[in-house]
Amino acid sequence: GDSVTQMEGPVTLSEEAFLTINCTYTATGYPSLFWYVQYPGEGLQLLLKATKADDKGSNKGFEATYRKETTSFHLEKGSVQVSDSAVYFCALVPGSARQLTFGSGTQLTVLP
Amino acid sequence: DTAVSQTPKYLVTQMGNDKSIKCEQNLGHDTMYWYKQDSKKFLKIMFSYNNKELIINETVPNRFSPKSPDKAHLNLHINSLELGDSAVYFCASSQQPIGRGNTEAFFGQGTRLTVV
């Protein structure tokens, strides 16, 4: 079945460090891929998305590139801030499905 | 104004009780969802309604019953609560059922249910 695998957390970084959170997927057809972010005490918010191979999604300094050959959608940011501390979820919508399938989430803590 | 709002935010109750969680969206969306987030932050869809019609019904105990009185509301009723029901429950909505042409869902803040 369709699934998303994220790197295990928690991840702790110092401010201005480089961030990578790995995400790989298994899906039939050509899924759309997403990163959602959950700030403390809040619901999930869409961070960025990519709908076809080689697309790059970007928002708030975060980027992720849809890599069909490696079935990956890794999240990156060049310089994290304390305010980026949150749980990050990789997700997909398979070609024919009508729901989001989420990864297990990665807790990021950025220290000043 | 909050786009997707859930009540209550916290709910502590004893085993065996019946409880409801309410959800309302003011985005004019046709589709609403309930997700369950376990203690390891894993999110799993439970139900989805489109224009008050049930379109997704994942394998959940039949103690869980969604009700959609209109397309702006999707409530979740849980009978005979068990310890394993403790989790954070998220309501979400989207313009239409999620698919390739419509892919953004908006989430509420969650309801933390604790069964003791």
Side-chain angles (χ1 to χ4, degrees):
Chain A
D2 304 311
S3 65
V4 177
T5 303
Q6 286 181 237
M7 65 185 286
E8 290 275 337
V11 173
T12 302
L13 296 173
S14 297
E15 207 164 21
E16 299 183 2
F18 184 86
L19 168 72
T20 300
I21 300 178
N22 289 338
C23 170
T24 57
Y25 67 89
T26 302
T28 52
Y30 301 95
S32 297
L33 302 173
F34 308 83
W35 279 99
Y36 275 79
V37 58
Q38 182 182 19
Y39 297 105
E42 298 184 13
L44 282 73
Q45 303 172 24
L46 179 64
L47 180 60
L48 54 84
K49 67 179 182 182
T51 57
K52 61 183 188 296
D54 300 324
D55 270 0
K56 178 185 283 188
S58 61
N59 186 24
K60 299 181 181 179
F62 290 90
E63 293 183 340
T65 301
Y66 189 142
R67 301 283 188 204
K68 190 170 185 300
E69 64 277 12
T70 54
T71 61
S72 65
F73 193 55
H74 305 321
L75 182 68
E76 296 182 335
K77 186 174 186 181
S79 176
V80 293
Q81 305 300 312
V82 172
S83 57
D84 294 326
S85 297
V87 181
Y88 291 82
F89 292 90
C90 188
L92 65 81
V93 173
S96 59
R98 296 186 295 180
Q99 63 188 65
L100 282 159
T101 297
F102 286 93
S104 55
T106 302
Q107 173 78 55
L108 169 67
T109 301
V110 180
L111 302 175
Chain B
D1 282 345
T2 304
V4 182
S5 59
Q6 298 176 227
T7 54
K9 192 171 182 179
Y10 300 97
L11 181 55
V12 181
T13 188
Q14 291 187 324
M15 283 176 56
N17 284 349
D18 303 338
K19 291 293 178 186
S20 292
I21 306 172
K22 296 186 175 182
C23 179
E24 176 181 6
Q25 54 95 3
N26 63 6
L27 297 167
H29 289 170
D30 287 344
T31 311
M32 297 184 71
Y33 311 83
W34 278 108
Y35 281 84
K36 179 180 180 180
Q37 186 178 45
D38 64 23
S39 59
K40 296 184 178 180
K41 300 288 189 184
F42 187 69
L43 272 161
K44 187 171 172 58
I45 192 165
M46 301 173 69
F47 303 103
S48 176
Y49 271 72
N50 184 54
N51 276 324
K52 303 193 295 175
E53 179 184 345
L54 183 66
I55 59 170
I56 294 175
N57 185 1
E58 291 295 304
T59 306
V60 299
N62 57 16
R63 299 181 293 103
F64 289 79
S65 55
K67 285 190 170 49
S68 182
D70 55 62
K71 70 177 190 178
H73 295 84
L74 181 60
N75 304 323
L76 183 64
H77 189 75
I78 315 170
N79 288 328
S80 304
L81 278 155
E82 299 178 358
L83 293 177
D85 297 332
S86 296
V88 181
Y89 292 85
F90 284 100
C91 179
S93 74
S94 59
Q95 183 66 53
Q96 298 169 17
I98 284 181
R100 289 194 63 80
N102 167 53
T103 51
E104 183 165 5
F106 294 78
F107 285 76
Q109 291 189 327
T111 296
R112 182 174 294 277
L113 171 65
T114 303
V115 182
V116 297

